[in-house]
Amino acid sequence: KNFFGKEVDRKESVSEQIHILSHQRPDNFMATAIHELTHDLIADHYPRLKDAPDWVHEGICQYVAATYCRKFQFGDALHVIETSPNPVYGDGYRYFKKTLGDNNWAGLKNWMLNSPVPSR
């Protein structure tokens, strides 16, 4: 607090942690880091998605990671995302890619703020 009692600096305790395995190739490490940080972004700024199905959360995170991989030409990591047979990660990603196209940041933000959350 300053001289007049006004709060000028506020610190909060954070109880969340993100763990990413080391010794990955740089492209896989960055794709994983972007994916995991996107989970935090969703939790902190898009509370309406809190109860969305897992494939929505993972699809958004994979979409953001794929966009990053495209920008920095991480072809191997992008290939893994785009060809994943996993119904949560792969199908979730493909839903957002089909809905938004490639690299559509504005469309993703608009979807996260306004679109009805599909159940499947």
Side-chain angles (χ1 to χ4, degrees):
K1 295 186 179 196
N2 68 11
F3 181 74
F4 301 104
K6 181 179 176 188
E7 188 173 287
V8 293
D9 188 23
R10 183 175 169 191
K11 296 180 182 182
E12 294 181 26
S13 175
V14 177
S15 63
E16 299 169 347
Q17 296 180 359
I18 296 175
H19 297 274
I20 302 171
L21 297 174
S22 61
H23 304 300
Q24 295 185 51
R25 290 190 336 246
D27 60 338
N28 286 339
F29 180 87
M30 289 305 297
T32 301
I34 295 297
H35 175 105
E36 296 304 331
L37 291 169
T38 302
H39 280 295
D40 275 357
L41 177 100
I42 292 168
D44 291 346
H45 298 285
Y46 299 93
R48 72 181 211 85
L49 297 176
K50 179 183 177 205
D51 296 323
D54 287 343
W55 71 267
V56 169
H57 285 263
E58 300 303 342
I60 292 169
C61 294
Q62 290 293 77
Y63 182 84
V64 172
T67 300
Y68 182 88
C69 290
R70 255 186 233 95
K71 180 175 181 168
F72 290 98
Q73 299 176 352
F74 292 152
D76 290 343
L78 178 60
H79 178 74
V80 168
I81 293 169
E82 291 191 327
T83 61
S84 172
N86 185 291
V88 173
Y89 291 82
D91 290 351
Y93 163 74
R94 284 184 283 279
Y95 170 85
F96 286 98
K97 183 175 180 179
K98 181 180 178 183
T99 301
L100 304 170
D102 290 336
N103 309 328
N104 187 353
W105 292 108
L108 178 62
K109 180 179 178 183
N110 184 54
W111 188 96
M112 291 176 17
L113 286 170
N114 301 309
S115 293
V117 178
S119 59
R120 187 67 195 152

